[in-house]
Amino acid sequence: MKATHTSPSSAAEFRRWLASLDDSALESILNQRPDAAFPLPPGIASLATRLLLRASIAQALTSCTAAELAALEALVIAGAEINPVGLDSLPQHATPELVESLSAKALVYTPEPGNQVRVPLEVMPALPGDWSLLDTTTFTPDDVRDLPSDQRAILETLLTGGGVGATKDAAPDADPSRPVPQLIAAGMLHRIDTHTVRMPRSVRAALSGHTAAAIPLTPSGRLADEPLTGVEDESVNHAGAAAGLDVVRAMTRLGEELGHHPIALLKDKTVGIRPLGALAKQIDLSAEETARLIGLGFHARLLGRGEPKGGPEGNFLAPTELFYAWHDQPLGERWQVLIETWLSSPWATWESARGLDPDTAHERLPLQRRQVIDVYRRATVALSEEDFWEDLRFSHPIFASRTRTETIDQLRYEAQWLGVVAMGRASGVASDAGCAPALTPPTVDKFISQADMTILAPGPLTPELQRLVEMVADLESPGLASVYRVTDASIRRGMDGGLSGQEIHDFFREHNMGEVPQTIDFLIDDVARRHGTLRSGPALAYVRSDDESLIAQAAASVAELRLLAPTVAIATVPVASVLEALRAAGFAPAAEDEHGVSIDARPQPAVLPTPRAKAPREPAVTANRVSAAVAAVRAADGQEEANSPNAASEPDLDLLHSAARSGRTVAIGYADKNGSLKEVTAVPLSVAGGQVDASVGGRPVRFPLHRITSVELA
């Protein structure tokens, strides 16, 4: 006898429910399911189809909390995939508030008369294969190691095959001495139907050598329902700004170094391990952080790949024209650019020892960054590492459990490295990168020189002052209040850049607070006496000195030089090459113009054209876009479309899958081998390989899918 519930397919019922919603409810769904708004849906049927696509549902499920997913699982166990469950008789873990939240994401719906809830058949297959929050059985690596070899071999085979497998031993009446029934009895495998088993998440984790972390089903109370709009503790913003400005300075050093010494790329356009290490040493950073900066700079179009102007021939990594425009911007605006770039960057640089390895570019990373930051943005207290993981597992359980721990740790580190997160809280830029300039302390044009040869900058220096300070001193301690150290080599570097001893004295007197310590004055004079005793100019190049023995020693040390007179030598290579060779030989030459005035003879930095910006893969969802989508649906008269007959004549395979999971009886219409239409009442056991295995009157029967004409609940 057929059941009295004879509504058409759940998809048609879902369309009718969607059409019955008012505009505000549809806007709420599209705000949480933005992929369904692109392009504008031409009607309710189209919108319903998009919302029931597995990829769209999977994306929506990643935004669900553990409580929402547990409620969804409880509803399915209660049979809500096939028959609606009354709102007044909800199962444990499914509260009216959670049902309303799931309904706002179109993951459940309330068919007429509206006092019931149903789960679309397409939802559960979109979850990971081993997903279950209500199964709290936990296994450890020791539990797996203690298994007999045949049972362990089955689990390892399933692990490599995705966690789901077919076997003839899955039936309840299978031989209990066989490995599969024993694993099912131990809870290490779950029976899906008489021919299919699934590996639980905790067993998958145990096989990988660790115990699956418990996912809390209730919130900790540390997170607000919505992201907080402001940061009450200003020390968080100060700490974030200090960290972010350090990254700005590091990016500046990287770009300048690559401008003077572009790095040759490998054939696959990656930065090799050795060049990366040499570059890291040159800018005084680790190879890992240098690779991180390269990935960030490349995505920001501050760095590029190609043959630079004014540089060597070949394929090199070098700064772009945009880098020098960025370099001249105020610190706060430069920080803002890096934050906005990081939020959309696909580079997981920690996954490779090479720079710009294409295997480390993942489209999923921007979403994962937002999920990590979301936890901090909603935190009402500072989060420890343990607090963060607990809140992440509740807020984004699929992401937390299906993503490698190293990846999440690296994303957290990057957020702290860039100043988006500080002191366990989200800084102001986590909500709006545009506030970075406001959070950046005002620049200063004075510093404090000390007798121990250090310079203390009490705040961020103006760009020009910072450039000059970095010419004559080495950064020793970065931060909002930076410390530089003056050395023999740093003063010589300033003079190599075209500054005379007197100009360096004047620079210190103009910008120093108070008297310049005598130790610094003495050092400047000492270096100035030794610097420039050799003079070089274009001949292609010449070298001159009043000291005949010095010029003879220089000519003997540098192969490119040839003595022209006792005090003059010439070379057939450019001045910059001569100066570099002399410095490498231990001399301290100075470049001069035709009048004998010291100049900066360093070659112009290599530069690449700025690459064209790539359009975002996913357009931004705005209130106007959502309103336009709802208007497009209404213009198509969605109510009439939802009530129209279902054009599809194919059987409802999702109903077959659901009936196989729950053991429900269905009426299957099919064509026999003679082409005659028949109908039989059966309990589906499995749906796979283009056929349905079912139990008809206690005996197994196999139906080819292409012969099935209809499926209804019986």
Side-chain angles (χ1 to χ4, degrees):
M1 178 179 178
K2 295 279 184 74
T4 56
H5 175 68
T6 58
S7 66
S9 71
S10 63
E13 192 176 57
F14 179 80
R15 285 198 299 272
R16 285 207 309 276
W17 167 76
L18 206 59
S20 70
L21 299 178
D22 58 25
D23 287 358
S24 63
L26 281 180
E27 289 177 358
S28 176
I29 290 175
L30 290 174
N31 277 319
Q32 300 196 65
R33 302 280 297 275
D35 54 293
F38 294 95
L40 292 177
I44 280 291
S46 175
L47 177 60
T49 299
R50 295 181 190 181
L51 291 173
L52 293 179
L53 291 175
R54 179 170 295 191
S56 176
I57 292 174
Q59 186 173 334
L61 289 171
T62 61
S63 68
C64 289
T65 65
E68 290 171 335
L69 293 178
L72 194 62
E73 187 177 346
L75 288 171
V76 170
I77 293 174
E81 283 183 301
I82 297 178
N83 286 325
V85 173
L87 292 176
D88 56 353
S89 57
L90 292 174
Q92 185 183 6
H93 300 294
T95 65
E97 293 78 14
L98 291 173
V99 169
E100 183 179 354
S101 178
L102 291 169
S103 178
K105 297 176 182 178
L107 295 175
V108 302
Y109 63 97
T110 52
E112 296 179 358
N115 60 350
Q116 298 173 318
V117 61
R118 191 171 178 184
V119 179
L121 296 170
E122 295 81 359
V123 170
M124 294 307 288
L127 282 167
D130 59 357
W131 186 262
S132 176
L133 289 178
L134 302 185
D135 176 18
T136 57
T137 306
T138 302
F139 296 98
T140 67
D142 290 338
D143 295 329
V144 174
R145 278 193 292 268
D146 294 340
L147 289 174
S149 58
D150 54 351
Q151 295 183 21
R152 182 179 174 85
I154 290 173
L155 294 179
E156 290 175 344
T157 301
L158 282 174
L159 180 65
T160 58
V164 178
T167 173
K168 62 182 180 181
D169 292 333
D173 58 352
D175 183 358
S177 64
R178 301 276 296 170
V180 170
Q182 290 175 345
L183 288 170
I184 293 175
M188 290 189 165
L189 290 180
H190 289 168
R191 180 187 294 111
I192 297 178
D193 53 47
T194 57
H195 293 86
T196 313
V197 292
R198 181 183 65 198
M199 181 189 299
R201 181 173 62 92
S202 61
V203 176
R204 179 192 292 268
L207 283 169
S208 302
H210 61 274
T211 303
I215 296 178
L217 301 184
T218 56
S220 66
R222 290 184 292 266
L223 302 188
D225 293 335
E226 297 294 333
L228 303 180
T229 56
V231 180
E232 297 179 357
D233 188 352
E234 281 302 315
S235 62
V236 173
N237 284 334
H238 292 325
L245 296 184
D246 283 347
V247 177
V248 171
R249 295 188 187 98
M251 183 66 75
T252 303
R253 295 202 306 274
L254 173 67
E256 291 174 345
E257 178 62 25
L258 288 174
H260 292 298
H261 302 98
I263 288 184
L265 300 174
L266 302 178
K267 290 183 179 180
D268 60 356
K269 297 184 179 181
T270 63
V271 181
I273 297 175
R274 288 187 178 180
L276 182 62
L279 175 63
K281 184 177 181 180
Q282 196 66 29
I283 60 176
D284 196 25
L285 294 173
S286 67
E288 292 78 11
E289 186 161 351
T290 302
R292 200 183 305 274
L293 284 170
I294 289 174
L296 185 62
F298 185 78
H299 188 62
R301 299 183 297 135
L302 303 179
L303 306 178
R305 293 184 288 205
E307 187 171 304
K309 301 174 185 177
E313 296 181 358
N315 196 14
F316 288 82
L317 179 70
T320 64
E321 295 166 344
L322 184 60
F323 168 80
Y324 293 101
W326 173 83
H327 185 281
D328 294 336
Q329 291 178 330
L331 277 174
E333 294 180 16
R334 290 153 71 186
W335 182 28
Q336 176 183 343
V337 169
L338 296 187
I339 294 170
E340 293 172 341
T341 299
W342 175 74
L343 289 172
S344 63
S345 173
W347 293 102
T349 56
W350 58 87
E351 294 181 353
S352 175
R354 295 178 296 158
L356 299 180
D357 187 337
D359 292 337
T360 65
H362 308 298
E363 294 180 2
R364 64 180 183 271
L365 274 189
L367 172 62
Q368 293 177 342
R369 286 192 175 95
R370 291 196 295 270
Q371 290 172 320
V372 168
I373 294 173
D374 174 69
V375 174
Y376 285 105
R377 288 183 61 197
R378 294 193 290 123
T380 58
V381 297
L383 300 180
S384 65
E385 183 176 356
E386 293 76 14
D387 294 340
F388 165 80
W389 275 104
E390 181 183 353
D391 290 332
L392 180 70
R393 291 185 180 110
F394 175 80
S395 301
H396 303 285
I398 294 179
F399 164 58
S401 61
R402 307 296 292 187
T403 306
R404 291 193 308 167
T405 301
E406 179 193 10
T407 297
I408 297 176
D409 283 340
Q410 289 287 345
L411 295 177
R412 285 182 62 239
Y413 171 78
E414 286 188 342
Q416 295 165 350
W417 171 69
L418 203 52
V420 179
V421 172
M423 303 171 63
R425 301 286 297 273
S427 66
V429 295
S431 300
D432 179 15
C435 71
L439 297 182
T440 303
T443 56
V444 298
D445 61 357
K446 296 289 184 180
F447 52 74
I448 302 171
S449 301
Q450 302 180 105
D452 63 353
M453 311 297 284
T454 58
I455 297 175
L456 173 62
L461 301 174
T462 61
E464 179 61 19
L465 181 56
Q466 182 172 338
R467 183 185 69 83
L468 291 172
V469 168
E470 290 180 350
M471 283 185 67
V472 298
D474 298 320
L475 181 64
E476 189 170 82
S477 177
L480 293 181
S482 305
V483 178
Y484 297 82
R485 182 166 294 278
V486 181
T487 65
D488 183 292
S490 68
I491 295 296
R492 188 184 305 117
R493 182 175 65 237
M495 292 182 177
D496 290 343
L499 296 176
S500 67
Q502 186 58 50
E503 288 173 329
I504 296 177
H505 278 300
D506 293 342
F507 166 71
F508 272 91
R509 292 192 181 97
E510 179 182 355
H511 295 284
N512 189 64
M513 294 182 184
E515 293 292 327
V516 179
Q518 287 186 337
T519 51
I520 292 181
D521 281 335
F522 290 158
L523 179 62
I524 295 171
D525 291 338
D526 182 58
V527 174
R529 277 193 300 271
R530 292 180 282 112
H531 189 271
T533 51
L534 289 176
R535 313 291 288 184
S536 177
L540 288 179
Y542 66 82
V543 176
R544 68 178 180 84
S545 176
D546 295 334
D547 188 337
E548 295 183 8
S549 62
L550 182 61
I551 198 72
Q553 185 181 357
S557 302
V558 178
E560 292 85 357
L561 289 177
R562 179 173 61 85
L563 279 174
L564 187 64
T567 58
V568 180
I570 60 173
T572 56
V573 294
V575 173
S577 299
V578 172
L579 292 172
E580 185 175 348
L582 287 170
R583 288 166 185 153
F587 297 95
E592 66 179 9
D593 61 12
E594 63 272 20
H595 304 294
V597 178
S598 295
I599 59 172
D600 183 0
R602 292 178 297 180
Q604 290 297 312
V607 63
L608 288 167
T610 302
R612 181 178 300 175
K614 294 182 180 179
R617 292 184 59 87
E618 297 182 3
V621 178
T622 62
N624 290 338
R625 180 72 188 194
V626 170
S627 298
V630 173
V633 169
R634 296 306 187 203
D637 192 9
Q639 185 64 43
E640 177 180 343
E641 184 178 328
N643 288 329
S644 64
N646 189 1
S649 60
E650 296 182 355
D652 193 342
L653 298 185
D654 288 321
L655 180 58
L656 280 174
H657 282 286
S658 181
R661 285 196 297 269
S662 59
R664 291 295 301 271
T665 301
V666 296
I668 299 177
Y670 68 100
D672 65 13
K673 61 182 179 181
N674 298 317
S676 302
L677 295 179
K678 296 185 177 181
E679 185 175 272
V680 66
T681 300
V683 177
L685 301 176
S686 65
V687 184
Q691 56 197 16
V692 178
D693 289 328
S695 174
V696 179
R699 60 185 179 88
V701 178
R702 176 166 291 176
F703 298 94
L705 280 177
H706 66 275
R707 289 180 179 266
I708 296 177
T709 59
S710 64
V711 180
E712 293 181 348
L713 288 176

